[in-house]
Amino acid sequence: MNKEFSGILKACRDFTVKKATAKKRAKNIIFTTMSVAHVDDDLDAPGEVYYAEKILNNGDIYTGKWSDNCPNGQGKYLWSDGCMYVGDWVKGKTMGKGKFSWPSGATYEGKFKNGYMDGEGTYTGCSNDTYRGSWVINMKHGKGTRDYVNGDHYEGEWRRGQPDGQGRYQWINGNQYIGQWRNGKMNGNGTMLWASGNRYDGSWEDGFPKGNGTFRWADGSFYVGIWSKDSREQSGTYYPSGSRTGTFDWDPQDVYSNDLLGCQISPGERISAYPSQKMVTWPCEGEFLQKLPIAKTPKANNARPKRNSVDGRLSNGDGSYSWGSETDAASNSVYSEQPRESSEESRSIRTDDSDNSRGFQPHCIKIQPNKKPGTTISKGHKNYDLMLNLQLGIRHSVGRPAPATSLDLRATAFDTKEKVWTKFPTEGSKHTPPHQSCEFKWKDYCPLVFRTLRKLFKVDPADYMISICGNDALRELSSPGKSGSFFYLTNDDKYMIKTLKKAEVKVLLGMLPAYYNHVRAFENTLVTKFFGLHCVKLTGPAQKKVRFVIMGNLFCTEYAIHRRFDLKGSSHGRVTEKSESQIDSTTTLKDLDLNFIFRLQKVWFQEFCRQVDRDCDFLEQERIMDYSLLVGVHFREVSGSGEPVTTETRNSGVRTPTANADQSGDVSTPRISRADMDLLFDPSGWASIRLGINMPAKAELTVRRSDFEAQLVGEPTGQYYDVIVFFSIIDILQNYDISKKLEHAYKAFQYDPTSISAVDPKQYSKRFRDFILQVFAEDT
């Protein structure tokens, strides 16, 4: 233990012996005071800041600035196990600059937020394993450098504690990799440079070359081909240099078995215990008086309230401490599993009377029981034969053998005339099975492109066929959209099938080369993922054609989607005429129904802004408009009466630091959002988070002024909910054609031209970005 604190502890023990009598009269104080406050003094005067030296009855020691019964300002905290924090405190939490030391000799020096390592900081392990860079909730996240104990070095982007993004890794043996990473492995486009002078340029997957790549020797010879650990998928051509003569015996598999053996990624040193796991929640007087439930027992006006210890417990007068009652204890604990009977939970979440007096529209949130959307298409349904035709066609297209494809496609693959017709007679043929549906013809548009897109999106062909063509029937959504298109969902909710007009097919085929390059370049793109474009032509006198596209379903998740919004940034007609009681999980709300601002963590918000700009630039260049951002919201906690629980309501309790707490110092958990706590204690949860998918956020309730009918974004109320959000840019197949130009001209005479959806793509893109970046904000 530090000599300075050992001296303080000895002085404290001497002092407490001399003051034994006074100590007996103050059993309700968790600390023995050392030099600043007398043990019989009342609680601190609110706002008073002074220097204090205090010791917990479990042996922990604090010395530094003190205010409102908790650390406030500069201070030191020494745990009995030898851990120590020196730095800034705000209302009992490590907040600002500070240094945390472990008994092993490891240290972290940098920014803290709510007890977490969060911001710029440097961690130096006991073996000198050092990371310098950005942190988010104890995770290396952002830009940073790491010097490993074995001499390796990494510099670049991090996500969820692993190298992820663009980065450079240099091994101590002189080899280095420069390129893209994912989940701590080389993944994407990158270059491996060996100390021998050899190099590989090309695609990587899970730490190994996969796809198109070129291996070059120091003498100028090179090998170009498709790479894979499976030798059956390996193919390429060797080109010798002018200086190399004779037979060259070399196998591309040698790169996997020999060259990459010295290129293992160091696991690095693990942090034994995070500072946030050792923080104590102090019942600062301001929060204590405002947030703890008021006892229901009436007291006389002149009665002196029972004394509280600084951790919020009541003295029983026999040397023990307790909460006022078992019921109080349950309601005060963050971890309580008892149902809450408080008025906060039973009330509706709405604006108060003062809001109404200022002209705000009151709003109540009520969550209806979740239900599965759509109607199962069974025998006798008008579209039953169409569903069978679709399933037969998909099974034929995806199931037929095809050579290994490269991600570098030739221009001929995007030829709009590249379509394959296949006839499906009921009795079957050489290439098609017999079936019980009507005879039909099947067309595949640009089959090679969509097969490569499925590969790019990491869609397994077998799983794809089982989802669409398995024994389970599709589900038809209740009503067609505004465009007249019908939507079908697979039974496992993974894929959505949408019927298209001929003009929409033409738009998709026209933009397909640019779309392919865009989704390949930007893995986190928010635009809709397309997996296939097909057409069914029914035989008979009608010769009806049904064109459809297969897309990914944004809401394929284990979380119940409680609210969904379709947001465009326009106001004319952008409201759903339904009362709160009529809104359920399948209702799609619009711009003027939106009553939240979604706050994302800083790193995610910055990435969100960049990707929205990239996607809007792409759509603007393709002359696309009328698209929207589809947003799904899952409330992390809903009361028994069907109302989302606010962050303040749920986190209104405190956790008691006790003398017999675990010696690791994990006596409490800071009062933070549930989403942040889940990510801290279950880091594997980070793996499922991607931009627009499973994203933890805070939703701040907003209210609109009743005298501003077209107010797109309401006024923030400061009332927050922990949520999981999903979002994607959808409906990207409408270009600014003559019909939209006429619609714009007609409506511009009747309404405000800036409020209608049909506007020029450049104007649409700017309005959409401006609106979306008001709806989404950084969580500060």
Side-chain angles (χ1 to χ4, degrees):
M1 189 179 289
N2 185 291
K3 289 183 179 180
E4 178 184 350
F5 279 95
S6 297
I8 294 173
L9 181 58
K10 184 176 183 300
C12 174
R13 287 170 180 165
D14 293 342
F15 182 85
T16 53
V17 169
K18 295 178 182 179
K19 296 291 184 178
T21 303
K23 184 177 179 181
K24 288 178 181 178
R25 291 185 283 111
K27 287 289 186 178
N28 58 325
I29 301 295
I30 192 174
F31 292 106
T32 57
T33 52
M34 300 171 63
S35 60
V36 181
H38 191 274
V39 291
D40 282 332
D41 289 345
D42 290 335
L43 296 175
D44 306 335
E48 180 185 356
V49 181
Y50 60 93
Y51 179 83
E53 295 174 342
K54 297 178 180 288
I55 179 170
L56 269 76
N57 56 2
N58 64 355
D60 294 352
I61 299 171
Y62 172 80
T63 175
K65 294 292 183 65
W66 188 266
S67 174
D68 292 337
N69 300 301
C70 59
N72 244 329
Q74 278 284 329
K76 296 181 183 180
Y77 191 103
L78 178 67
W79 283 264
S80 58
D81 64 358
C83 291
M84 183 174 69
Y85 171 79
V86 181
D88 295 333
W89 296 77
V90 176
K91 293 186 178 180
K93 298 177 182 178
T94 53
M95 187 91 74
K97 292 183 179 180
K99 181 176 181 179
F100 191 94
S101 306
W102 285 263
S104 63
T107 62
Y108 169 82
E109 187 168 2
K111 293 290 186 69
F112 285 82
K113 182 180 178 182
N114 288 326
Y116 294 96
M117 300 183 290
D118 199 304
E120 293 296 317
T122 300
Y123 173 83
T124 304
C126 58
S127 55
N128 284 327
D129 187 330
T130 304
Y131 170 83
R132 300 177 182 86
S134 179
W135 298 75
V136 174
I137 317 179
N138 293 338
M139 295 284 185
K140 304 173 186 70
H141 199 84
K143 291 187 177 181
T145 62
R146 185 169 186 175
D147 294 306
Y148 296 87
V149 64
N150 65 354
D152 293 353
H153 174 83
Y154 173 81
E155 180 178 359
E157 295 177 329
W158 296 73
R159 286 184 179 86
R160 306 177 291 276
Q162 299 285 350
D164 199 308
Q166 193 71 20
R168 177 176 67 88
Y169 192 103
Q170 177 140 11
W171 286 265
I172 192 172
N173 60 14
N175 299 340
Q176 65 173 314
Y177 170 83
I178 305 170
Q180 295 175 324
W181 296 74
R182 186 174 184 181
N183 293 331
K185 296 181 179 179
M186 297 169 281
N187 202 99
N189 292 323
T191 299
M192 176 69 76
L193 303 171
W194 281 270
S196 62
N198 297 342
R199 65 183 288 164
Y200 169 83
D201 300 273
S203 298
W204 296 74
E205 186 175 296
D206 291 332
F208 297 98
K210 181 69 180 290
N212 290 320
T214 302
F215 188 92
R216 299 178 185 274
W217 285 265
D219 64 0
S221 303
F222 62 96
Y223 171 89
V224 180
I226 297 175
W227 293 74
S228 175
K229 290 182 72 176
D230 186 347
S231 58
R232 294 172 298 179
E233 298 179 358
Q234 181 85 40
S235 64
T237 305
Y238 169 70
Y239 297 90
S241 66
S243 61
R244 179 170 291 185
T245 57
T247 304
F248 181 58
D249 184 18
W250 177 77
D251 185 350
Q253 293 298 306
D254 291 345
V255 173
Y256 299 95
S257 57
N258 298 326
D259 297 78
L260 291 175
L261 285 180
C263 300
Q264 302 297 316
I265 308 301
S266 174
E269 181 182 312
R270 297 181 65 87
I271 299 176
S272 58
Y274 294 104
S276 56
Q277 293 174 293
K278 306 184 72 62
M279 289 296 107
V280 175
T281 299
W282 312 83
C284 303
E285 185 179 7
E287 294 182 356
F288 180 80
L289 295 177
Q290 294 172 18
K291 292 188 176 181
L292 284 185
I294 300 174
K296 296 180 181 179
T297 306
K299 290 194 277 251
N301 291 337
N302 60 352
R304 183 174 180 175
K306 185 180 273 190
R307 283 287 301 273
N308 289 80
S309 70
V310 294
D311 66 343
R313 298 175 295 167
L314 301 177
S315 172
N316 294 328
D318 58 358
S320 63
Y321 291 90
S322 67
W323 299 93
S325 67
E326 290 184 9
T327 305
D328 292 337
S331 65
N332 287 337
S333 173
V334 175
Y335 301 95
S336 168
E337 296 181 1
Q338 300 294 330
R340 299 188 181 185
E341 302 290 343
S342 67
S343 60
E344 287 183 333
E345 182 169 324
S346 61
R347 67 181 169 85
S348 293
I349 301 170
R350 61 181 77 240
T351 56
D352 56 23
D353 292 338
S354 62
D355 285 338
N356 291 332
S357 66
R358 294 197 304 268
F360 289 113
Q361 297 176 349
H363 192 87
C364 169
I365 301 175
K366 195 80 171 178
I367 302 300
Q368 304 294 339
N370 202 50
K371 62 182 183 180
K372 208 166 188 176
T375 304
T376 301
I377 302 177
S378 55
K379 197 165 186 177
H381 191 284
K382 64 178 181 179
N383 289 325
Y384 180 72
D385 284 344
L386 177 62
M387 180 191 73
L388 293 182
N389 297 345
L390 186 154
Q391 292 177 324
L392 285 166
I394 294 292
R395 190 179 294 117
H396 170 75
S397 298
V398 179
R400 64 186 176 192
T405 58
S406 165
L407 295 180
D408 295 322
L409 297 177
R410 296 179 180 178
T412 53
F414 298 94
D415 187 354
T416 56
K417 298 178 182 178
E418 181 68 17
K419 48 199 173 193
V420 181
W421 280 101
T422 304
K423 189 175 182 179
F424 280 77
T426 54
E427 68 276 9
S429 67
K430 182 179 178 181
H431 301 291
T432 63
H435 59 88
Q436 297 178 345
S437 180
C438 60
E439 183 175 318
F440 68 96
K441 288 184 179 181
W442 173 264
K443 182 196 292 185
D444 268 332
Y445 293 91
C446 301
L448 179 60
V449 176
F450 286 102
R451 188 184 309 126
T452 310
L453 279 171
R454 292 194 293 271
K455 179 181 177 181
L456 189 66
F457 295 139
K458 295 180 172 54
V459 174
D460 181 77
D463 291 341
Y464 184 70
M465 278 200 297
I466 290 173
S467 292
I468 301 176
C469 314
N471 295 326
D472 296 315
L474 302 177
R475 301 198 312 276
E476 183 180 62
L477 297 190
S478 56
S479 60
K482 182 180 177 182
S483 64
S485 298
F486 285 86
F487 293 87
Y488 304 94
L489 277 174
T490 57
N491 192 62
D492 59 6
D493 290 333
K494 284 186 178 179
Y495 303 103
M496 179 174 284
I497 300 166
K498 178 185 178 183
T499 60
L500 298 179
K501 297 177 181 177
K502 185 176 181 179
E504 292 175 312
V505 172
K506 186 177 179 180
V507 170
L508 178 53
L509 291 175
M511 67 185 286
L512 196 56
Y515 172 85
Y516 179 82
N517 292 331
H518 182 76
V519 298
R520 184 182 178 187
F522 303 110
E523 183 182 22
N524 287 331
T525 180
L526 299 176
V527 298
T528 305
K529 290 181 170 62
F530 295 125
F531 301 122
L533 181 62
H534 313 282
C535 178
V536 170
K537 183 178 181 181
L538 303 179
T539 57
Q543 294 283 305
K544 180 183 178 182
K545 287 183 180 180
V546 181
R547 305 168 183 86
F548 56 90
V549 64
I550 302 176
M551 310 175 290
N553 178 22
L554 176 65
F555 299 141
C556 178
T557 171
E558 61 183 6
Y559 296 108
I561 302 299
H562 296 131
R563 285 289 184 273
R564 57 184 73 195
F565 298 92
D566 182 276
L567 307 175
K568 291 187 176 184
S570 58
S571 58
H572 177 66
R574 300 296 296 165
V575 66
T576 303
E577 300 295 343
K578 284 189 176 183
S579 65
E580 186 68 28
S581 60
Q582 294 175 309
I583 296 173
D584 59 26
S585 59
T586 63
T587 305
T588 300
L589 303 172
K590 299 180 182 179
D591 300 64
L592 294 180
D593 303 309
L594 181 67
N595 54 333
F596 296 106
I597 293 175
F598 302 105
R599 301 194 179 277
L600 305 177
Q601 293 174 2
K602 179 179 179 180
V603 175
W604 283 117
F605 178 69
Q606 291 173 344
E607 191 166 343
F608 172 75
C609 294
R610 288 193 295 266
Q611 195 57 53
V612 167
D613 283 339
R614 293 167 184 153
D615 290 340
C616 287
D617 286 343
F618 158 68
L619 295 171
E620 184 182 330
Q621 289 168 8
E622 295 301 311
R623 301 289 293 168
I624 302 297
M625 43 78 66
D626 215 21
Y627 46 89
S628 55
L629 187 75
L630 181 63
V631 180
V633 183
H634 167 81
F635 292 97
R636 298 298 299 269
E637 191 166 342
V638 179
S639 71
S641 57
E643 294 144 8
V645 179
T646 63
T647 303
E648 283 189 57
T649 302
R650 184 174 62 253
N651 293 337
S652 61
V654 295
R655 178 79 165 168
T656 305
T658 58
N660 59 354
D662 179 56
Q663 290 303 306
S664 67
D666 188 11
V667 296
S668 173
T669 301
R671 285 171 288 190
I672 58 170
S673 73
R674 175 174 173 177
D676 288 349
M677 289 180 68
D678 286 352
L679 293 179
L680 172 64
F681 294 111
D682 182 21
S684 62
W686 285 86
S688 64
I689 300 173
R690 302 200 317 273
L691 188 66
I693 304 293
N694 290 339
M695 297 200 69
K698 289 181 181 177
E700 183 177 7
L701 186 68
T702 62
V703 290
R704 286 185 176 82
R705 294 185 63 89
S706 55
D707 51 341
F708 284 89
E709 294 183 0
Q711 184 183 11
L712 281 175
V713 181
E715 304 292 336
T717 64
Q719 193 165 328
Y720 294 91
Y721 305 90
D722 285 335
V723 296
I724 301 292
V725 292
F726 303 77
F727 46 83
S728 176
I729 297 177
I730 63 169
D731 295 339
I732 62 170
L733 299 181
Q734 178 61 61
N735 62 359
Y736 196 52
D737 56 14
I738 185 63
S739 65
K740 286 295 178 181
K741 292 177 181 177
L742 290 173
E743 179 184 344
H744 172 79
Y746 174 74
K747 289 185 176 179
F749 277 111
Q750 297 178 301
Y751 311 103
D752 179 1
T754 62
S755 70
I756 59 179
S757 294
V759 295
D760 177 86
K762 186 173 183 179
Q763 182 184 346
Y764 192 97
S765 172
K766 182 181 184 307
R767 184 179 65 186
F768 179 81
R769 293 187 223 203
D770 293 344
F771 173 62
I772 294 303
L773 295 183
Q774 291 181 61
V775 173
F776 286 81
E778 181 183 335
D779 181 12
T780 56

